[in-house]
Amino acid sequence: MTTTATLPLDAARQQTSARPCRFCGAHLHRTFVDLGLSPLCETYPSTADLNRGEMYYPLHVYVCDRCFLVQLEQYESPENIFSDYAYFSSYSDSWLKHCDNYCGKMTERFGLGKDSFVVEVASNDGYLLQYFVNRNVPVLGIEPAANVAKVAVEKGVPTLVQFFGAKLASQLAADGRCADLVLGNNVLAQVPDLNEFVEGLKILLKPQGVLTLEFPHLLQLIEHNEFDTIYHEHFSYFSLLTTLRILDAHGLRAFDVEELPTHGGSLRVYACRAEDHSKHTAPTLAKLIAAEEANGLASPEGYERFAAQVKETKFALVDFLVRAAREGKSVAGYGAPGKSATLLHYCGIGKDLIAYTVDRSPYKQGRFLPGSRIPIYHPDRIRETTPDYVVVLPWNLKSEIIEQLQFIRDWGGKFVVPIPSVTVC
Ligand SMILES: [Zn+2]
């Protein structure tokens, strides 16, 4: 393992703190935003659960003064959160298109073929690896949620039902199963032991292997007010600045980065082993670091403006919904994404303001949103009840959803997009 001059990882880990930074171990005391209490956002109560209570946990987000990692404390074990995880990636058309494009691009750029090996950590239901299988590239998925992994195996994507870390990576390496491409999409945020996980990624890489990581970009989260993407399943929120420090501390070197429109604005970081000099560093890295510095992400004070803009969004959304209710308008939701739990709880919105929501996932239909207990129905419910307003809860898919739901115009229905600021269209 190599360490940076500015951030000696081992020294940092020796520090003790009641609230240590997940990466560098420094004491966390600076608030990024405090969103009060929320239930776990991917645990959807069924009818049988309605007479029971739910656990609420604090959503108090800190930023580390030393490495600027934005993070939540871990209140619940990953086993409890992810063992029967409701999130099936395959239900969004635009996301699947994104994944197919990624596989095509990687196959071409890194010359992957039948003799290559691709490993995805947190491979979900095989939503992505299926496109490598289609291209005859051997794959292995690693997915801790058994119900989700089963779906992957059924569609021909070999999948190990395990949590990924340095231990599993070492076993795979010992079996001669290091990879030409290791990928992790939207998983880094969900890792409680960040250092152990990133160490595992390096172990799994062949000497000239490529690692790609996709994650929502903290700069976009701040700029576009995406506070509802903060929930208990997401322990950490990454800038490029902090990501490079983390990779560097584990002997990995970023050589390229792309900005993507997915999940409200994500980064795809390309990395290799630090000792692999076959890959040239792209100028996009320095450019994006400069953009982050210009937006204050290299100083602790730069993180402090976020809380005020979040509060303003709450006031505007509640104001709109209360006015609609007083005018006798009917309001339904569309979608039941994890992020809706944070939005609805922080804003104090229940069935009295949004009567119901709908979702394409059969797993969620007939269940209820956590905490608010807003019922989730099949999307046909919207045609049947002709609501005056439809609140688009997965605003990151708003173009796709608004296009699919154009029929609400027939009865004068309008869409309400809550983030970055309340928009009626
Ligand atoms: Zn730190």
Side-chain angles (χ1 to χ4, degrees), residues 28-138:
L28 299 174
H29 63 88
R30 192 180 299 271
T31 293
F32 177 62
V33 68
D34 184 354
L35 298 169
L37 292 164
S38 249
L40 291 180
C41 75
E42 294 283 359
T43 309
Y44 295 86
S46 66
T47 309
D49 297 324
L50 289 183
N51 290 332
R52 296 200 193 110
E54 277 174 71
M55 285 293 285
Y56 283 61
Y57 301 86
L59 266 182
H60 190 152
V61 190
Y62 294 90
V63 56
C64 175
D65 270 4
R66 183 158 55 186
C67 73
F68 306 127
L69 180 64
V70 169
Q71 57 199 291
L72 270 177
E73 282 185 72
Q74 186 199 334
Y75 297 102
E76 188 53 283
S77 72
E79 286 77 12
N80 275 357
I81 296 177
F82 299 116
S83 58
D84 193 22
Y85 201 49
Y87 182 65
F88 285 72
S89 300
S90 295
Y91 290 102
S92 154
D93 299 338
S94 59
W95 180 243
L96 290 178
K97 182 89 187 107
H98 169 81
C99 296
D100 194 8
N101 289 343
Y102 167 86
C103 294
K105 192 172 172 173
M106 294 305 110
T107 305
E108 196 174 319
R109 179 168 177 180
F110 300 111
L112 302 176
K114 63 179 171 42
D115 298 323
S116 310
F117 187 44
V118 176
V119 176
E120 179 177 22
V121 289
S123 52
N124 208 279
D125 61 1
Y127 71 102
L128 185 145
L129 289 179
Q130 62 184 342
Y131 298 112
F132 279 121
V133 172
N134 290 350
R135 290 173 170 85
N136 296 316
V137 178

Side-chain angles (χ1 to χ4, degrees), residues 383-397:
R383 266 183 212 282
E384 292 156 16
T385 61
T386 63
D388 297 308
Y389 294 108
V390 174
V391 181
V392 181
L393 295 170
W395 45 260
N396 53 312
L397 305 173

